[in-house]
Amino acid sequence: SMAGGSSGFAFARRTLPLVEAADERARQVSALSVMLHVECDNLGAICFYEAARFTRASEHPRYRQFARAISIDPDSHYLYERPVRNVH
């Protein structure tokens, strides 16, 4: 969790390059959006991703299957999505 203080800044410093790398990879494969899942109680990560213009998505048709495949409980995670950002 990045609930406050310097730990929030550390989370953002570590995570922003990953978000940018996801955008780059999505552009390379001509994807229209980037999707991720966040634990429902991870308020710091939720705030970070929403500030990075991710929005909570309605459940994707394959999300439950995907969640089970990576051993997470789909009912304890939110699905977020953002259109791929173009390079300026």
Side-chain angles (χ1 to χ4, degrees):
S1 168
M2 64 175 258
S6 62
S7 63
F9 294 114
F11 176 87
R13 265 195 316 273
R14 287 190 317 269
T15 307
L16 189 56
L18 295 174
V19 170
E20 291 169 350
D23 278 342
E24 177 59 28
R25 180 64 182 142
R27 282 190 295 276
Q28 290 172 358
V29 299
S30 301
L32 300 177
S33 65
V34 174
M35 298 180 90
L36 56 87
H37 61 86
V38 179
E39 292 180 3
C40 296
D41 63 353
N42 191 340
L43 299 180
I46 289 169
C47 289
F48 173 81
Y49 290 121
E50 288 179 354
R53 298 188 181 145
F54 281 85
T55 56
R56 194 176 311 171
S58 57
E59 190 169 299
H60 190 275
R62 294 191 204 153
Y63 180 61
R64 289 189 171 281
Q65 178 183 5
F66 167 76
R68 285 190 293 273
I70 62 170
S71 301
I72 65 168
D73 176 9
D75 295 321
S76 66
H77 290 78
Y78 293 133
L79 184 64
Y80 275 80
E81 182 174 25
R82 183 183 75 190
V84 175
R85 290 185 176 181
N86 293 322
V87 177
H88 301 304

